[in-house]
Amino acid sequence: MSNSSKSPKSPNKAPRLNRSVARLCAVQALYAIRMSDSPQDEVLADFHINRIPELTDEAGFQAPDGNLFAALVKGCEAEAADLDDLLSAVLADDWPLARLEALLHMLLRAAFYELAFCPDVPVRVVINEYVDLAHAFFSEGEPGMVNGLLDRLARELRVEELDQGNGKR
């Protein structure tokens, strides 16, 4: 009985980790696109040829979910203006978008993309994943800022999901 109860959990862990690695790669790819001004397809190809093997072989990460990785990068690039408008709307008035450090901006853009365009990904997952990424990249107040901004946007875009999670109907 104990083997059968553990069996359903094992297959679920790997896909979640693969999706987490996809988010990490997507943020890094978005940052690379912004900093190098290289075409999206060139950066995606470089990640598949060089960066992902480095992460998996040398750093010991699982291979990312390739579909999620590509969807995040392509979606963020296609919707960049709308995502930045959403981000500007939730930033404090005295904190313009241009004040954000480039990596933090790309992390928030990816997170906002998932909140706005991926309704199949639960709000809690989006917030947890990107706050974890913020902790991996930053050591100051950025993770708290990411948490607050994502919570704010989620309350605007996915109020029904949040209400259901609190037992409201």
Side-chain angles (χ1 to χ4, degrees):
M1 193 79 160
S2 104
N3 283 345
S4 65
S5 67
K6 287 185 179 181
S7 189
K9 291 183 181 179
S10 298
N12 290 337
K13 188 173 183 181
R16 278 185 285 188
L17 290 176
N18 292 355
R19 293 176 66 81
S20 296
V21 176
R23 290 179 177 100
L24 168 66
C25 289
V27 170
Q28 291 177 328
L30 291 167
Y31 179 77
I33 291 167
R34 173 154 176 197
M35 299 311 289
S36 68
D37 205 25
S38 297
Q40 164 188 298
D41 290 338
E42 184 179 301
V43 171
L44 286 171
D46 178 60
F47 264 75
H48 285 292
I49 295 166
N50 298 308
R51 303 280 302 204
I52 291 172
E54 286 174 13
L55 278 173
T56 57
D57 297 342
E58 296 170 21
F61 283 84
Q62 290 187 358
D65 177 324
N67 292 332
L68 178 61
F69 168 59
L72 287 173
V73 173
K74 290 177 181 181
C76 286
E77 286 293 291
E79 303 296 339
D82 289 339
L83 294 169
D84 286 350
D85 287 346
L86 287 172
L87 181 51
S88 292
V90 297
L91 284 170
D93 291 335
D94 62 340
W95 199 290
L97 189 62
R99 187 174 170 192
L100 289 177
E101 190 274 328
L103 181 59
L104 180 60
H105 184 185
M106 296 304 100
L107 184 146
L108 287 165
R109 190 180 278 174
F112 276 40
Y113 177 81
E114 285 204 62
L115 283 176
F117 295 98
C118 303
D120 57 315
V121 181
V123 167
R124 288 182 183 162
V125 170
V126 174
I127 293 174
N128 288 337
E129 288 282 322
Y130 287 97
V131 169
D132 285 350
L133 281 175
H135 279 290
F137 288 120
F138 302 101
S139 60
E140 300 287 321
E142 292 89 345
M145 180 183 188
V146 168
N147 188 34
L149 292 173
L150 293 178
D151 183 68
R152 225 169 144 188
L153 184 64
R155 292 182 189 286
E156 289 180 22
L157 296 180
R158 301 223 203 149
V159 68
E160 298 87 17
E161 180 182 342
L162 293 172
D163 286 348
Q164 288 174 354
N166 291 329
K168 297 178 184 175
R169 291 197 177 185

